[in-house]
Amino acid sequence: MSTASEQIKRVYPKPDILRLNVIEQLQRLPDEGVAVLHDLAQELELRAAWADFSQGLAADWTVGKYADLDGALIAARESIKASRIG
């Protein structure tokens, strides 16, 4: 069973028109609203960056780039311990 949001496809104007609309709306917002939208934009950028990072990491795991990760971490820890002692 599909939800109402799945059944309705939104049609958006072209990106340049959307940008102009957003700029006009930003100019009408009080400072507090602009701050909230700024935080939202940063969150969206962070999510996009995380998605890109996650996809890259998954691809690296698939091709075996991290096959010896446990061994490398153990060696690094031992090296740190040795440098503190001696």
Side-chain angles (χ1 to χ4, degrees):
M1 182 197 290
S2 61
T3 64
S5 62
E6 292 173 342
Q7 293 173 354
I8 300 172
K9 299 288 183 184
R10 289 195 60 183
V11 177
Y12 291 102
K14 293 181 180 179
D16 55 335
I17 300 298
L18 284 174
R19 283 184 175 83
L20 288 174
N21 289 345
V22 169
I23 290 168
E24 290 172 5
Q25 292 169 346
L26 280 171
Q27 291 172 342
R28 292 190 303 263
L29 279 178
D31 293 343
E32 296 81 14
V34 174
V36 169
L37 286 177
H38 176 267
D39 291 346
L40 176 61
Q42 286 187 317
E43 177 69 22
L44 291 173
E45 286 180 334
L46 179 62
R47 287 180 184 207
W50 181 255
D52 290 345
F53 171 77
S54 296
Q55 287 175 348
L57 191 62
D60 289 347
W61 274 105
T62 300
V63 297
K65 287 188 177 181
Y66 303 111
D68 193 37
L69 184 59
D70 288 338
L73 289 172
I74 290 168
R77 288 183 187 121
E78 289 173 0
S79 176
I80 292 170
K81 286 179 187 177
S83 68
R84 288 182 181 165
I85 294 173

